[in-house]
Every structure is written in C-alpha cells, then in structure tokens.
Amino acid sequence: MTPADPGVYISPAQTHAEVRRVADGQIRMEGKLDEIVRDLRDSRDHLADHESRLRRLEANRWPLPTIGAIAGVGGAVAAVVALLQH
C-alpha cells in the first residue's frame, strides 16, 4: 500500500509574491509598449516628412532636362546658321 500523496502546498504569501512578480512584469511590458508606440509615431512623422521632400525634389527636377534640350536645339540652330553664312 502506498502512502497518500500529500500534494503541494502553496502558501498565500507565495501566491501573493508570484502575483506581484507577474504584475510588475506586466507594468514593465506596458512601459515598453508605450515607448514602441511613441517610436512608431515619430517614424511615421519622419516618413511623411521625407515623402514630402522627395515630392518637392521630383516636382522641381523637370525643368533641368527641358533646359538642356532647349540649349541643345539652340546650339544646333546656331551651328546650322553658322554653316549657312560661310
């Protein structure tokens, strides 16, 4: 015959200590999550700023090739005129 299993006894103090440990861990996680959310908001603001800067650069870039093409055509016309005058 085997003796009855006495089981495991967890005192109320041990239970309370474990609950406090878990609660403290949760508080730390909430703080870290708040920090992550702040960082994400900052990243979103930076991304929007970079996007607007890129859009402005792209909008201001178009005159350069046009000016180059006009200068090229003007040079070609000047060369033709110079050839015809000789």
Side-chain angles (χ1 to χ4, degrees):
M1 181 174 229
T2 61
D5 186 13
V8 177
Y9 176 75
I10 300 174
S11 71
Q14 289 171 320
T15 303
H16 177 71
E18 183 65 19
V19 168
R20 283 303 316 166
R21 189 184 68 75
V22 171
D24 290 344
Q26 183 179 1
I27 290 169
R28 283 192 306 273
M29 274 200 298
E30 286 174 352
K32 289 178 182 180
L33 285 174
D34 289 342
E35 186 177 335
I36 289 170
V37 168
R38 276 193 307 275
D39 289 347
L40 285 174
R41 285 185 187 137
D42 291 344
S43 295
R44 187 174 40 210
D45 293 342
H46 289 347
L47 182 63
D49 179 50
H50 289 305
E51 183 70 25
S52 67
R53 286 180 175 192
L54 283 173
R55 295 292 176 209
R56 277 186 271 141
L57 285 172
E58 289 171 349
N60 293 332
R61 191 187 72 185
W62 72 266
L64 295 177
T66 304
I67 291 170
I70 291 172
V73 169
V77 169
V80 169
V81 170
L83 276 175
L84 293 178
Q85 287 182 350
H86 283 113

